[in-house]
Amino acid sequence: MNSVSTGVAVSRGPAANPVPLREVMSLFATGVTVLSVGGEDIHGMTANAFTSVSLDPPSVLCCVAHSAVMYKAITSAGHFGVSIMEAGQEGLARFFADKKRPLGPSQFTGVDWVPGPRTGAPLLSGSLAWLECELSAAHDIGDHTVFIGDVVASSRGGGADGLVFFGGAFHRADAPSR
């Protein structure tokens, strides 16, 4: 049996087949975000491989495929923005997930956004919340990189219900009654 702990080498067995793994992971509900980078390599990408890492210091992570345009954008810029999607933003989530959308500045034409005050990353209007992050670490794992960002700014929007991805589809996550 393999165990994982800090400083202990782990031997790996044969890799799991990615098709059953994708089916299993579709049963894990995740929030939906749009990652963004401003400036010369302006780009947006829908991502659900996102989570908090630490409160002290405040940090988050996102996972991006090496083949994705966002991989080069984050690597070049050294920072990224995160828009946490509100339930009514499924259309935007689908748009930024579409590999056929225009690239560069034109992908933001007609999209309501503001540049983040710290990084200039496009932050999508109407989102539940926004984060701006400075890249603090990057770890290559297989065909993806885990980017860890130190949160340098954050804010909340006025929405209540979240957008989640479960079973290969988008769903509304209703905010609890207070």
Side-chain angles (χ1 to χ4, degrees):
M1 177 189 291
N2 294 335
S3 64
V4 177
S5 63
T6 304
V8 175
V10 177
S11 64
R12 298 180 190 264
N17 183 332
V19 173
L21 178 60
R22 180 180 297 268
E23 292 171 3
V24 167
M25 293 310 297
S26 77
L27 301 176
F28 181 67
T30 62
V32 180
T33 68
V34 169
L35 305 175
S36 58
V37 171
E40 188 176 312
D41 292 318
I42 190 169
H43 188 65
M45 179 190 94
T46 300
N48 65 340
F50 169 83
T51 192
S52 63
V53 173
S54 171
L55 294 176
D56 187 16
S59 57
V60 297
L61 70 75
C62 60
C63 300
V64 178
H66 296 156
S67 60
V69 173
M70 184 57 75
Y71 171 81
K72 179 182 181 266
I74 292 176
T75 302
S76 297
H79 60 260
F80 58 94
V82 182
S83 297
I84 298 174
M85 305 305 279
E86 197 272 337
Q89 294 181 302
E90 180 179 338
L92 276 176
R94 288 184 180 281
F95 174 76
F96 282 103
D98 186 351
K99 293 181 192 288
K100 297 176 188 163
R101 74 183 181 285
L103 296 179
S106 62
Q107 71 187 291
F108 291 95
T109 300
V111 174
D112 191 13
W113 64 277
V114 297
R118 297 286 300 271
T119 65
L123 303 177
L124 305 182
S125 300
S127 296
L128 287 177
W130 304 270
L131 302 166
E132 290 184 88
C133 305
E134 294 290 339
L135 186 60
S136 62
H139 303 281
D140 288 339
I141 307 290
D143 61 355
H144 279 63
T145 293
V146 177
F147 290 110
I148 299 175
D150 291 336
V151 177
V152 295
S154 63
S155 60
R156 290 183 59 145
D161 298 334
L163 185 63
V164 296
F165 197 73
F166 176 76
F170 291 103
H171 301 275
R172 173 186 288 287
D174 294 332
S177 301
R178 295 190 185 204

